[in-house]
Amino acid sequence: MSPAAARSWVVPLAWTAVLLDGFDLVVLGTVLPALLRDHVWGLTPGTASVISTVGLIGMTIGALAIGTITDVIGRRKALIIAVTAFSAFTALCAISPSAFVFGLLRFLAGLGLGGCLPTAIALVTEYARKGKGGSATTTVMTGYHVGAVLTALLGIWLIQPLGWRAMFVAGALPALVLVPLMIKYLPESETFERARETQEKSATEVVGGLFRGGLLRATIAFWVTSFMGLLLVYGLNTWLPEIMRQAGYPLGAALGLLLTLNLGGVVGLLVAGRVADKVGVRPAVIFWFLGAAVFLALLSVKLPAVGLYVAVFLTGGFVFSAQVLVYAYIGKTYPDVMRATGIGWAAGVGRVGAICGPILGGALLSAGIAYPWGFYAFAGVGALGAAAVTGVRAGRSRENVAATPVP
């Protein structure tokens, strides 16, 4: 297969893999009402929260481990392993005999899911045309939100006639087509191959490189920013409908606002990537986090219907894109030999923020102050994300650190 033909397969295959990651974002929320209503395994809201948290812990470990392994064994092998693993364990969720086994399988699926995203982004970044790294990253990440929207729709079609188990079967079936296509057509990154020929390193050495060669400050800044970004993404996806209902909006309108939020995220990704390519990814990340803070604060104001939907749409456009631009910035900052490790560790730390987001929203709701103070709190998180990313020195990119050897 010619290099041009190989390149043409990278984005579609990576996008589809990330789409399956998006499936996992909402599948548990889609099936939980049926599990709780039918008292499956005697499940309670508390047990369900534990299962959700265990899955996120799996994603955290997967992002840290597979993201690092990717820089040792290659992008192609790591992505195929990640997709195969999370699809297999997702399929097994359909035959879980108990809540314990279900939680264990969600944890194991999370390992693959956590490693999928950093590996896909690293591969797409390395195949992007010069100067198009921002739009390449944001384009492939639209798959995440498309997957979330499709899964919500799938739940409407499948759960009532076929039961909750059908959702996990449906989530695993695409791998029967995707994995063979990846084995046949997905190329290894030429950039990774060149880097490995000159600097073949162990996983420990690659991770250590994140803190040496002038990269310590950038690494800490990316971790803090990623934590803030995923706190916003998961906090809003979990609690926006309930916060808006507490503000006096009907439940139907609140659910419509959640859909609007995610649609804004897809459009925002397409816009953010092109802006980053034109003005630079650093100012784009800062501006997007500040924009998220402004529109989150604006949601605390009672707005007419049209104004509210516009504000929520723009909030989604800034919140979801801000986090993805962080990944694009990481891809630009770290040298080739540790790019996936850098993205993986930032995503792993960010998953801790993903756990904290729902906890923060739930605490504010329990205290009865989620509206308007929930939006002020989330706005403050956005502002902290903007401040944290300024910790990466301006002009810092892989071009001026590539010559720095990894110890």
Side-chain angles (χ1 to χ4, degrees):
M1 186 166 52
S2 68
R7 180 188 296 273
S8 69
W9 280 97
V10 171
V11 171
L13 292 175
W15 187 89
T16 306
V18 171
L19 181 145
L20 297 181
D21 200 340
F23 164 88
D24 195 78
L25 175 66
V26 297
V27 67
L28 190 60
T30 303
V31 303
L32 273 180
L35 292 172
L36 293 169
R37 182 191 64 234
D38 298 336
H39 306 290
V40 178
W41 311 312
L43 202 66
T44 65
T47 309
S49 296
V50 172
I51 290 172
S52 176
T53 302
V54 163
L56 287 171
I57 292 172
M59 291 185 192
T60 301
I61 297 172
L64 298 176
I66 298 181
T68 302
I69 292 170
T70 297
D71 279 327
V72 178
I73 68 172
R75 287 46 167 141
R76 181 179 183 276
K77 288 181 182 177
L79 190 56
I80 292 172
I81 290 170
V83 172
T84 302
F86 76 65
S87 297
F89 289 120
T90 294
L92 290 172
C93 285
I95 57 173
S96 298
S98 67
F100 174 79
V101 173
F102 184 68
L104 177 61
L105 291 170
R106 289 289 297 164
F107 171 80
L108 294 173
L111 295 176
L113 286 160
C116 176
L117 188 145
T119 305
I121 291 177
L123 186 59
V124 168
T125 299
E126 289 165 356
Y127 268 97
R129 293 185 178 87
K130 187 174 182 180
K132 299 294 182 182
S135 57
T137 301
T138 55
T139 297
V140 80
M141 281 300 293
T142 60
Y144 193 69
H145 296 285
V146 171
V149 172
L150 289 178
T151 303
L153 295 174
L154 197 63
I156 296 172
W157 298 331
L158 287 183
I159 293 177
Q160 187 64 33
L162 299 177
W164 64 269
R165 297 179 189 273
M167 286 296 294
F168 292 98
V169 175
L173 283 177
L176 295 178
V177 176
L178 179 59
V179 171
L181 287 174
M182 293 172 72
I183 292 172
K184 184 172 182 179
Y185 294 112
L186 187 67
E188 182 54 271
S189 164
E190 295 176 1
T191 303
F192 168 77
E193 293 282 16
R194 289 195 299 269
R196 183 166 61 176
E197 288 174 3
T198 58
Q199 297 187 58
E200 188 166 348
K201 301 293 178 184
S202 68
T204 303
E205 290 173 317
V206 172
V207 173
L210 299 179
F211 309 98
R212 303 188 182 99
L215 287 169
L216 173 62
R217 178 175 167 179
T219 294
I220 294 174
F222 284 135
W223 288 4
V224 174
T225 307
S226 186
F227 177 94
M228 300 300 173
L230 283 178
L231 188 156
L232 290 179
V233 168
Y234 278 80
L236 288 173
N237 262 321
T238 302
W239 291 118
L240 180 67
E242 185 60 25
I243 293 175
M244 300 311 284
R245 194 186 66 80
Q246 194 176 89
Y249 298 98
L251 179 59
L255 293 174
L257 290 172
L258 183 60
L259 179 60
T260 302
L261 183 80
N262 279 280
L263 289 175
V266 174
V267 175
L269 285 168
L270 297 174
V271 174
R274 282 150 183 79
V275 171
D277 289 342
K278 288 185 178 298
V279 306
V281 69
R282 184 177 192 272
V285 176
I286 295 171
F287 179 77
W288 245 257
F289 268 100
L290 289 176
V294 169
F295 283 103
L296 282 165
L298 183 62
L299 291 181
S300 68
V301 179
K302 282 282 189 179
L303 297 169
V306 174
L308 177 63
Y309 276 93
V310 170
V312 169
F313 182 86
L314 291 172
T315 299
F318 279 100
V319 167
F320 297 134
S321 304
Q323 174 60 25
V324 177
L325 286 174
V326 174
Y327 297 141
Y329 196 7
I330 294 170
K332 182 178 175 61
T333 300
Y334 291 107
D336 303 331
V337 74
M338 65 178 74
R339 180 175 297 110
T341 301
I343 296 172
W345 278 71
V349 173
R351 295 289 184 181
V352 180
I355 296 170
C356 293
I359 293 173
L360 173 62
L364 292 169
L365 279 164
S366 298
I369 58 174
Y371 185 87
W373 290 100
F375 290 121
Y376 296 147
F378 285 129
V381 170
L384 288 172
V389 82
T390 61
V392 185
R393 292 201 300 271
R396 187 75 172 177
S397 69
R398 66 175 177 266
E399 285 80 9
N400 51 44
V401 297
T404 304
V406 180

